[in-house]
Amino acid sequence: MLQVGWFATGRGEGSQKLLRAAVDAIRDRRLDAQISFVFSNRERGQFPATDEFFDQVASYGIPLVTLSDSRFRKERNGDVARAGGPLPVWRTEYDRAVVEMIAPFGCDIGMLAGYMLITTAPLYEWRPLLNLHPSAPDQPAGTWQEVTWKLIEQRVDHGGVRIHLATDVLDEGPIATYCTYPLRGGTIDPLWHEIDGRSVPEIRESEGDANGLFQEIRQRGAARELPLVVETLRAFSDERLTLERGRIMAGETKIVGGYDLTPEIEASIANAALV
């Protein structure tokens, strides 16, 4: 049985859905795994949405471990991390403290599911950490909003979701699994026609995230995130995939560029639609 450590900030409904999908798969015996703990970088009382997530964890009987990164930083008079800049020293100290707290729990692999902190060496070297990212292997890094706008700007014909190993290079670790989905044909083509002759800055200025094409691309990607998390953990639990010194292996073959789970993800979505 695969022992999974679950990492989530718990900012809202997305975190709850990801955890629920994994727990449901375990309870339905579709996933031979156990979530040995949930860790959050927030503590009870900081944010109502996170408290709701903590209540969900408690309802499943999963051990909850918390350590507020903001409190940790303030207690050490640390600098606030700045986008694009090096992480302040306290961030490594924080991850070292996290490892001390979660070490007593069994864990084969960690799942970063809505965890909003960049991990540092003490944490990603403790156990392999899987991170969800909203684009295919050949597509841009960034937040899902940034990725969606880049896909529109590049006029792509497909989107995707991938799961990679956390490393010292943000969003650039070895890709474990991925799936893709079409962005041409059928009902989406009229949405592409609506933006003919318009640049992304123009669309963002006039419509922003409410743009129909933006919304459709996001919906297609989001629909595949939950099943990809479950199917990726299942691939590791049934040993179709293994990890050897940071390498992702399928039997004796090293996986380069990720293991394609598109058929499994599309089947999962189709089955869910029938329920």
Side-chain angles (χ1 to χ4, degrees), residues 30 101 172 247 254:
R30 291 180 286 116
M101 297 176 72
E172 295 295 337
R247 298 181 302 171
K254 179 182 176 182

Side-chain angles (χ1 to χ4, degrees), residues 4 12 20 27 65-66 78 100-101 117-118 132 155 163 167 189 211-212 231 245 248 262 264 273-274:
V4 181
R20 186 181 306 119
R27 289 178 171 177
V65 183
T66 65
E100 290 179 1
M101 297 176 72
L117 291 184
I118 297 171
L132 182 68
R155 296 324 202 241
I163 290 180
T167 66
D189 279 352
N211 173 265
E231 290 299 327
R245 298 184 296 278
I248 300 156
T262 300
E264 289 88 340
L274 295 174

Side-chain angles (χ1 to χ4, degrees), residues 40-56:
S40 174
N41 60 302
R42 290 178 174 176
E43 294 171 348
R44 188 171 285 279
Q46 281 188 273
F47 297 92
T50 306
D51 288 351
E52 289 182 13
F53 177 70
F54 292 166
D55 291 342
Q56 178 191 22

Side-chain angles (χ1 to χ4, degrees), residues 161 181-189 215-225 269:
V161 186
Y181 51 89
L183 291 179
R184 299 288 178 171
T187 58
I188 199 170
D189 279 352
Q215 290 288 323
E216 179 64 18
I217 292 174
R218 176 53 187 163
Q219 188 277 328
R220 294 187 183 200
R224 288 158 175 82
E225 291 179 355
I269 292 173

Side-chain angles (χ1 to χ4, degrees), residues 53-263:
F53 177 70
F54 292 166
D55 291 342
Q56 178 191 22
V57 175
S59 73
Y60 295 147
I62 301 172
L64 174 66
V65 183
T66 65
L67 180 62
S68 168
D69 64 292
S70 61
R71 179 174 62 80
F72 190 94
R73 174 182 60 80
K74 291 172 183 176
E75 289 175 350
R76 287 154 181 77
N77 296 314
D79 296 329
V80 175
R82 304 295 181 186
L87 291 177
V89 173
W90 69 266
R91 286 289 289 103
T92 301
E93 297 172 350
Y94 175 84
D95 279 353
R96 190 172 292 116
V98 170
V99 169
E100 290 179 1
M101 297 176 72
I102 61 179
F105 300 91
C107 179
D108 301 314
I109 200 166
M111 185 71 231
L112 304 177
Y115 187 64
M116 303 311 296
L117 291 184
I118 297 171
T119 58
T120 65
L123 189 52
Y124 64 69
E125 290 179 354
W126 175 68
R127 292 291 187 276
L129 301 179
L130 299 174
N131 190 35
L132 182 68
H133 188 74
S135 66
D138 58 344
Q139 293 178 339
T143 65
W144 67 263
Q145 294 94 334
E146 292 168 341
V147 168
T148 303
W149 286 120
K150 289 175 183 176
L151 297 182
I152 293 173
E153 184 175 49
Q154 296 170 6
R155 296 324 202 241
V156 299
D157 62 3
H158 72 280
V161 186
R162 68 182 187 248
I163 290 180
H164 61 83
L165 289 177
T167 66
D168 58 344
V169 182
L170 183 62
D171 292 335
E172 295 295 337
I175 298 172
T177 63
Y178 70 93
C179 67
T180 60
Y181 51 89
L183 291 179
R184 299 288 178 171
T187 58
I188 199 170
D189 279 352
L191 299 175
W192 283 106
H193 293 322
E194 288 178 7
I195 68 165
D196 282 345
R198 302 168 64 194
S199 69
V200 163
E202 290 171 344
I203 299 167
R204 297 185 72 170
E205 177 68 24
S206 61
E207 300 177 58
D209 294 0
N211 173 265
L213 179 60
F214 181 97
Q215 290 288 323
E216 179 64 18
I217 292 174
R218 176 53 187 163
Q219 188 277 328
R220 294 187 183 200
R224 288 158 175 82
E225 291 179 355
L226 273 65
L228 183 62
V229 168
V230 171
E231 290 299 327
T232 297
L233 293 175
R234 198 157 73 92
F236 281 104
S237 71
D238 64 19
E239 298 186 341
R240 277 177 291 154
L241 295 180
T242 58
L243 289 164
E244 295 181 10
R245 298 184 296 278
R247 298 181 302 171
I248 300 156
M249 307 293 293
E252 299 296 321
T253 304
K254 179 182 176 182
I255 296 296
V256 177
Y259 186 77
D260 188 1
L261 285 172
T262 300

